[in-house]
């Protein structure tokens, strides 16, 4: 029975039921494990690309015509092909294509980077580039193929195809007259109509993809949090690794207290007076008019420590004076090594005067 109970406790402790700690999240981020949805990036890129194409279409049309003129008028009329003329044709064609393609490429790059930055901020890591032989394990690869996540991804892909196909079909159906008129239109009008329909279908598909991306982002967030979850034992181990073993820390603190106690007790024999409660509190004061502006507390304690202070003071002929209100007040307000506050000057001065009379120093 005890063995079964122990096994149950161990299994419960090993279950990942706790939310990830900030350190776990930071370590995962360093490894490149961040909350990210590919559909969000795709939706941003598609939407901004089609918006750019719609607004920049006149400029791109001029660049396309310039490229066609370069290809069919200037290049076709060259009588003699040499190495220089071929290189010149190649260079001119590249320049014309760059004018057309570079702006749209720049928009896609900015949209892709912006979508990722929006999701997880700036991150640069080389962890994902390191070679990991575990990723080449065929058994793990098969498990990923038949896993729940793989099935969900397949369903997401099918839904995206279905929704985008439906939306594009609706766009074509609502503009069916324009589509049917393409057979009788001039080439330029045909290109203009096709460009307009393509832009409408692209914007509609982008809108649908944004809705899908929001749903996918929520699902990825759920999976990300589930992946980062920790067991109670993981949290304990992390605390030990980051903060140190609590048992060792307690022993260190105990050792520090013992050392501080020894240092304090070493100062008791050199005190001028011990103010007592008389049983619960003990305050040791020392005053040197040549080096101190006011008396200083060199030791204090309650109960057992107070009895220890009084015993050492008695062994070293240090005068003890009973003053219950003063002892209690100074214990609460003055720390070891501090000078006596001004509010206690009168009472302390009377006690020191009494001590000096006893020691015949005045």
């Amino acid at each position: 029975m005890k063995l079964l109970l122990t096994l149950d406790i161990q299994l419960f402790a090993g279950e990942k039921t706790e939310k990830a700690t900030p350190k776990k999240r930071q370590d995962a981020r360093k490894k490149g494990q961040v909350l990210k949805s590919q559909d969000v990036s795709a939706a941003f890129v598609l939407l901004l690309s089609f918006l750019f194409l719609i607004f920049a279409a006149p400029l791109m049309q001029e660049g396309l015509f310039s490229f066609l003129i370069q290809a069919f008028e200037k290049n076709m009329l060259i009588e003699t092909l040499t190495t220089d003329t071929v290189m010149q044709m190649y260079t001119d064609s590249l320049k014309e294509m760059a004018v057309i393609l570079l702006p749209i490429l720049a928009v896609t790059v900015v949209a892709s980077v912006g979508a990722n930055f929006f999701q997880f901020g700036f991150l640069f890591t080389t962890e994902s580039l390191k070679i990991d032989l575990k990723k080449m394990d065929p058994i793990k690869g098969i498990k990923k193929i038949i896993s729940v996540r793989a099935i969900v991804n397949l369903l997401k892909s099918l839904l995206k195809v279905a929704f985008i196909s439906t939306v594009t079909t609706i766009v074509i159906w609502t503009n069916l007259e324009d589509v049917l008129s393409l057979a009788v239109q001039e080439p330029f009008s045909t290109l203009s109509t096709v460009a307009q329909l393509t832009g409408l279908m692209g914007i509609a598909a982008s809108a649908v993809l944004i809705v899908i991306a929001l749903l996918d982002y929520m699902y990825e967030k759920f999976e990300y949090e589930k992946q980062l979850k920790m067991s109670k034992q993981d949290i304990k181990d992390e605390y030990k690794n980051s903060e140190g073993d609590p048992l060792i820390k307690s022993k260190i603190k105990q050792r520090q207290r013992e050392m501080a106690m020894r240092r304090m007790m070493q100062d008791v024999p050199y005190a001028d007076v011990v103010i007592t409660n008389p049983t619960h509190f003990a305050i040791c004061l020392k005053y040197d008019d040549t080096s101190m502006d006011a008396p200083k507390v060199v030791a204090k304690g309650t109960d057992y420590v107070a009895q220890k202070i009084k015993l050492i003071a008695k062994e070293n002929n240090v005068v003890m004076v009973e003053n219950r209100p003063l002892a209690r007040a100074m214990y609460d307000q003055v720390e070891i090594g501090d000078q006596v506050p001004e509010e206690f000057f009168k009472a302390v001065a009377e006690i020191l005067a009494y001590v000096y009379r006893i020691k015949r120093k005045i």
Side-chain angles (χ1 to χ4, degrees):
M1 186 68 181
K2 291 183 178 179
L3 178 60
L4 292 175
L5 182 59
T6 304
L7 291 174
D8 289 340
I9 293 173
Q10 290 177 351
L11 289 174
F12 179 76
E15 291 182 357
K16 297 184 181 297
T17 57
E18 306 300 317
K19 289 185 178 181
T21 60
K23 184 178 184 303
K24 177 68 177 291
R25 295 180 184 276
Q26 185 177 5
D27 292 341
R29 182 178 176 83
K30 289 179 180 179
K31 294 178 182 179
Q33 299 174 1
V34 292
L35 174 58
K36 180 177 67 174
S37 171
Q38 296 294 344
D39 289 342
V40 172
S41 301
F44 266 92
V45 171
L46 192 65
L47 178 62
L48 293 182
S49 298
F50 274 101
L51 287 175
F52 176 80
L53 289 173
I54 289 173
F55 290 105
L59 297 177
M60 297 185 70
Q61 177 182 334
E62 294 178 3
L64 181 61
F65 285 163
S66 177
F67 175 77
L68 294 176
I69 291 171
Q70 176 71 28
F72 292 104
E73 290 187 3
K74 295 181 180 179
N75 294 342
M76 294 293 290
L77 296 176
I78 296 176
E79 297 180 356
T80 304
L81 291 177
T82 62
T83 304
D84 293 336
T85 56
V86 171
M87 290 301 299
Q88 185 63 38
M89 291 169 53
Y90 179 71
T91 303
D92 293 340
S93 299
L94 283 180
K95 289 181 180 178
E96 297 294 339
M97 291 300 298
V99 172
I100 300 172
L101 297 178
L102 283 181
I104 185 63
L105 292 177
V107 169
T108 56
V109 170
V110 171
S112 179
V113 174
N116 288 322
F117 182 82
F118 173 77
Q119 292 184 82
F120 54 84
F122 178 77
L123 176 64
F124 177 79
T125 178
T126 59
E127 289 291 331
S128 57
L129 301 177
K130 292 182 179 180
I131 298 175
D132 188 2
L133 297 178
K134 295 181 180 179
K135 295 180 180 179
M136 302 174 65
D137 188 351
I139 298 177
K140 291 184 177 180
I142 294 173
K143 288 181 179 180
K144 288 182 179 179
I145 293 174
I146 61 176
S147 64
V148 176
R149 186 176 182 83
I151 297 174
V152 171
N153 289 334
L154 176 61
L155 292 176
K156 287 193 300 183
S157 300
L158 294 175
L159 286 174
K160 283 188 287 186
V161 172
F163 285 136
I164 292 175
S165 300
T166 302
V167 169
T168 53
T169 301
I170 292 173
V171 172
I172 294 175
W173 185 261
T174 54
N175 295 274
L176 188 59
E177 293 183 1
D178 295 333
V179 174
L180 295 176
S181 65
L182 292 176
V184 296
Q185 288 183 5
E186 296 179 354
F188 183 79
S189 299
T190 301
L191 290 175
S192 299
T193 302
V194 170
Q196 291 176 0
L197 291 175
T198 303
L200 288 175
M201 288 187 290
I203 295 298
S206 301
V208 171
L209 194 58
I210 286 175
V211 176
I212 297 174
L214 293 175
L215 298 175
D216 182 65
Y217 183 83
M218 289 188 289
Y219 171 75
E220 291 293 337
K221 184 176 181 180
F222 170 77
E223 286 291 326
Y224 180 74
E225 294 294 335
K226 181 180 177 181
Q227 184 181 4
L228 287 183
K229 277 188 175 181
M230 305 170 66
S231 64
K232 295 182 182 296
Q233 186 62 40
D234 291 336
I235 295 176
K236 290 180 181 179
D237 293 340
E238 180 186 284
Y239 179 79
K240 288 182 180 179
N241 293 331
S242 60
E243 302 293 337
D245 192 335
L247 182 60
I248 296 176
K249 289 180 65 177
S250 64
K251 289 183 177 179
I252 292 174
K253 289 183 178 179
Q254 182 180 358
R255 183 64 58 85
Q256 291 174 343
R257 287 194 296 267
E258 292 175 353
M259 293 175 63
M261 183 71 67
R262 284 197 296 268
R263 288 194 299 268
M264 183 181 71
M265 293 302 179
Q266 291 173 357
D267 293 333
V268 173
Y270 305 101
D272 292 320
V273 64
V274 177
I275 304 174
T276 64
N277 192 20
T279 56
H280 297 292
F281 295 89
I283 308 293
C284 293
L285 298 180
K286 181 175 178 59
Y287 179 61
D288 185 357
D289 57 357
T290 60
S291 60
M292 299 179 185
D293 296 330
K296 184 173 68 173
V297 176
V298 296
K300 70 174 186 176
T302 61
D303 299 330
Y304 172 77
V305 178
Q307 298 299 327
K308 185 72 173 176
I309 290 173
K310 290 190 289 184
L311 179 61
I312 296 175
K314 185 176 181 181
E315 293 175 351
N316 292 272
N317 297 321
V318 178
V319 179
M320 288 183 284
V321 177
E322 179 181 339
N323 190 323
R324 298 186 179 187
L326 181 61
R328 180 60 183 268
M330 291 186 64
Y331 181 85
D332 293 335
Q333 300 182 34
V334 187
E335 298 297 329
I336 298 173
D338 294 347
Q339 291 185 347
V340 174
E342 187 175 353
E343 57 188 282
F344 300 123
F345 277 0
K346 183 178 180 181
V348 171
E350 292 176 354
I351 291 174
L352 288 177
Y354 169 73
V355 171
Y356 292 154
R357 284 197 298 269
I358 293 177
K359 293 183 176 181
R360 297 181 181 179
K361 289 188 175 181
I362 56 175

